[in-house]
Amino acid sequence: MTAAVSPATRRQLLEAMQRLLAGTPQHTDGRLTKNNLYREAGVSRATMNRASDILATWDAHVSRSPAGTAARRRDDDLDRLRHDLKASRARCRELQHHLDAAATVIAALAAENDALRRQNADTASRLVVPLRRDPAGR
């Protein structure tokens, strides 16, 4: 197997991995991420990516660690919450459409009601009902 990175870079990456996994980082916040791995090692991301065997070891350690389990649980929770949020937004849009339709119907009925009241008032004012007098004068 030909080395994709120099022996010095391998040593830097392995030491950085050990510090991160032990919880004693020197150059990062200590989270178990690949970003922190290459920063802790003081190499570029491209250099780290060429060390595929070290990355495989990193992934194996992180997936078994409590932090890896917590990260997977967090990612699963985020996926579920994103799905729930998408469904809630769709339901809100549907309810807003119903509300808009109801408001349109209410406005039309109110306008029709006002027109009928005006028409009724006009008709009532034109109606003259003669009073009959009682022939006996009462």
Side-chain angles (χ1 to χ4, degrees), residues 12-25:
Q12 286 173 283
L13 284 166
L14 290 170
E15 289 172 359
M17 183 179 357
Q18 287 174 351
R19 286 193 305 272
L20 286 170
L21 291 173
T24 58

Side-chain angles (χ1 to χ4, degrees), residues 50-61:
R50 286 194 302 272
S52 57
D53 58 330
I54 294 175
L55 287 179
T57 303
W58 171 261
D59 289 340
H61 280 291

Side-chain angles (χ1 to χ4, degrees), residues 66-116:
T69 302
R72 275 194 310 283
R73 191 175 314 119
R74 182 196 65 232
D75 290 345
D76 292 344
D77 287 346
L78 283 173
D79 288 342
R80 181 185 48 77
L81 289 170
R82 283 185 184 110
H83 178 268
D84 291 350
L85 179 60
K86 185 177 179 180
S88 293
R89 285 181 174 162
R91 180 68 176 142
C92 284
R93 278 191 302 275
E94 178 185 351
L95 291 172
Q96 186 63 51
H97 292 309
H98 287 296
L99 181 62
D100 292 344
T104 301
V105 169
I106 290 169
L109 289 172
E112 184 179 344
N113 195 16
D114 287 343
L116 289 171

